[in-house]
Amino acid sequence: MTDHTELAGRRVLVTGATHGIGRSIARAFAAAGATVVLHGRDADAGNRLALELSGSFVAADLEDPGAPARIVDAATEGGQLDVVVNNAGFEVEAAVDALVPEILTRLLRVNVQAPVEIIRLALPHLERSDGAAIVNVTSIHESVPVEANGGYAAAKAALAAFTRTAAIELGPRGVRINNLAPGAVRTSMNDHLIHQVGEERFARWIPLGRVGDVDDVAQAALFLAGPASRYVTGTTLTVDGGYSQHLVRYAPDPGTA
């Protein structure tokens, strides 16, 4: 259960916070006492959530090269920033012969380049914190392949590799950095797949017997950002109910097992 004072006095930036996993993460951090700065593209949803959480919101599209600087400027207003959660990202289904440069460039820009730039710009502020942490939300597909997912998987694998390297550099500077890799979780990005396969059938492939919820991921993010993980850096926490240990190929015919 969330300790409502666990992150009291901390200032947290959550990207991609207006929907799905990001929104749940923002709510969990606010419930733990943090001041939350939200980022997203949906200004209406972002401003409503900021009002709900007594936080603030900055609208920006991460395909815009200037977006990371605007986001970090908003997050560090007043000079303090303790935690960065790079949650924003997007997925495109494209087989190898359809992975044209335009698609790959967008995937790498949003899923790798933007979070790395946010980290770089936030570092001077994080280094002044006595509990600085960075959580990069990747995916089980950073290591588990699925057809027509090569571009997204490559981007998430790149961010995961960056995290491991950055941990070596940032540890001596007092900043922890880890990956959080969700599996099958109910979000708008995954709904089509879960509906196509069937949730009951999907659940049979997961050792814990159910499709994940966004709150499952949010609690894991809270752990990685908080004092309970003070000796954890440079690793990936997989939140998938054991799915990646028992992953099967999606059958094209729902009638086949």
Side-chain angles (χ1 to χ4, degrees):
M1 294 181 65
T2 300
D3 177 349
H4 291 275
T5 63
E6 184 178 1
L7 294 179
R10 301 295 185 188
R11 188 173 174 88
V12 178
L13 166 65
V14 182
T15 70
T18 55
H19 301 281
I21 288 173
R23 179 170 57 192
S24 185
I25 289 173
R27 284 175 168 156
F29 278 62
T35 297
V36 183
V37 180
L38 313 166
H39 153 264
R41 293 183 301 171
D42 185 337
D44 289 340
N47 284 316
R48 284 196 303 270
L49 186 60
L51 184 62
E52 172 193 329
L53 302 181
S54 299
S56 58
F57 172 73
V58 54
D61 186 338
L62 292 183
E63 290 192 56
D64 176 2
R70 293 198 300 276
I71 293 166
V72 173
D73 283 347
T76 57
E77 187 175 347
Q80 180 186 356
L81 184 61
D82 302 285
V83 176
V84 171
V85 180
N86 279 309
N87 167 74
F90 84 105
E91 182 178 10
V92 173
E93 288 188 16
V96 173
D97 52 2
L99 197 57
V100 296
E102 292 80 5
I103 293 175
L104 187 57
T105 296
R106 291 182 62 217
L107 284 166
L108 293 173
R109 171 66 204 163
V110 173
N111 293 309
V112 185
Q113 190 174 346
V116 170
E117 182 70 355
I118 287 170
I119 290 168
R120 184 185 71 82
L121 294 171
L123 265 177
H125 303 275
L126 292 172
E127 286 183 284
R128 292 196 290 269
S129 172
D130 61 0
I134 300 165
V135 180
N136 290 326
V137 179
T138 57
S139 165
I140 60 169
H141 298 309
E142 70 181 51
S143 57
V144 178
V146 173
E147 295 95 331
N149 205 29
Y152 177 74
K156 291 300 188 180
L159 184 58
F162 168 80
T163 297
R164 292 191 294 272
T165 301
I168 299 171
E169 297 182 29
L170 301 185
R173 298 161 69 175
V175 180
R176 297 186 301 107
I177 180 169
N178 291 286
N179 298 315
L180 177 57
V185 176
R186 292 186 199 88
T187 66
S188 57
M189 193 164 70
N190 289 334
D191 277 348
H192 71 289
L193 176 60
I194 294 171
H195 177 74
Q196 177 185 348
V197 173
E199 186 164 336
E200 288 186 10
R201 187 161 177 252
F202 218 130
R204 291 199 298 271
W205 297 343
I206 300 172
L208 288 187
R210 65 176 177 88
V211 172
D213 186 87
V214 290
D215 290 339
D216 297 323
V217 184
Q219 291 303 309
L222 193 61
F223 166 73
L224 288 177
S229 63
R230 63 188 179 189
Y231 200 56
V232 179
T233 196
T235 194
T236 294
L237 176 56
T238 302
V239 184
D240 70 347
Y243 180 43
S244 55
Q245 308 303 317
H246 194 238
L247 191 64
V248 298
R249 187 173 184 270
Y250 303 137
D253 180 359
T256 62

